[in-house]
Amino acid sequence: GTFWGYSAIRTARSLAEGGKLYCIEYNPNNAAVAKKLIAYAGLENKVKIFVGKSTWTIPKVAAEVGHADFVFLDHNKKLYYPDLLLLEKEGVVGKGSLVAADN
């Protein structure tokens, strides 16, 4: 999840020109705080937050992103494997993608 956006801000600052970061946050209150902090950091044009359960939002992200170069999983650990399978099914990750997961 995005939580309050700390990792999103750190990651977005290191994106190449034209790079975009897509985040999923289950909790709408956390997403609202993250959006404010991301805007305060001046990165609102580089970061987009989708709010809701990962199983609902991954297809929405896939429709907008297509293939991702990098995916960072940091949410409910029990959902890592099912979400990875869904990311593969939706074409977000595949050959050439790097997937990292927080413990």
Side-chain angles (χ1 to χ4, degrees):
T2 308
F3 194 49
W4 287 358
Y6 178 78
S7 294
I9 290 168
R10 300 286 296 178
T11 302
R13 284 185 174 154
S14 65
L15 289 173
E17 187 66 34
K20 187 101 173 163
L21 179 69
Y22 297 87
C23 303
I24 296 173
E25 174 54 50
Y26 174 75
N27 183 309
N29 295 323
N30 289 346
V33 171
K35 286 178 183 179
K36 288 179 184 177
L37 292 172
I38 289 163
Y40 183 74
L43 297 166
E44 63 274 12
N45 293 328
K46 287 190 166 200
V47 180
K48 181 169 183 178
I49 299 174
F50 291 82
V51 181
K53 289 184 176 183
S54 56
T55 53
W56 301 339
T57 53
I58 287 173
K60 293 176 185 176
V61 172
E64 189 165 328
V65 176
H67 177 78
D69 297 322
F70 176 70
V71 172
F72 177 55
L73 301 174
D74 186 14
H75 62 308
N76 182 333
K77 308 319 179 223
K78 292 178 183 177
L79 295 176
Y80 279 11
Y81 185 65
D83 284 353
L84 180 59
L85 293 176
L86 183 56
L87 288 163
E88 288 178 317
K89 177 184 171 202
E90 294 290 334
V92 177
V93 298
K95 186 172 183 171
S97 297
L98 174 65
V99 178
D102 187 21
N103 63 355

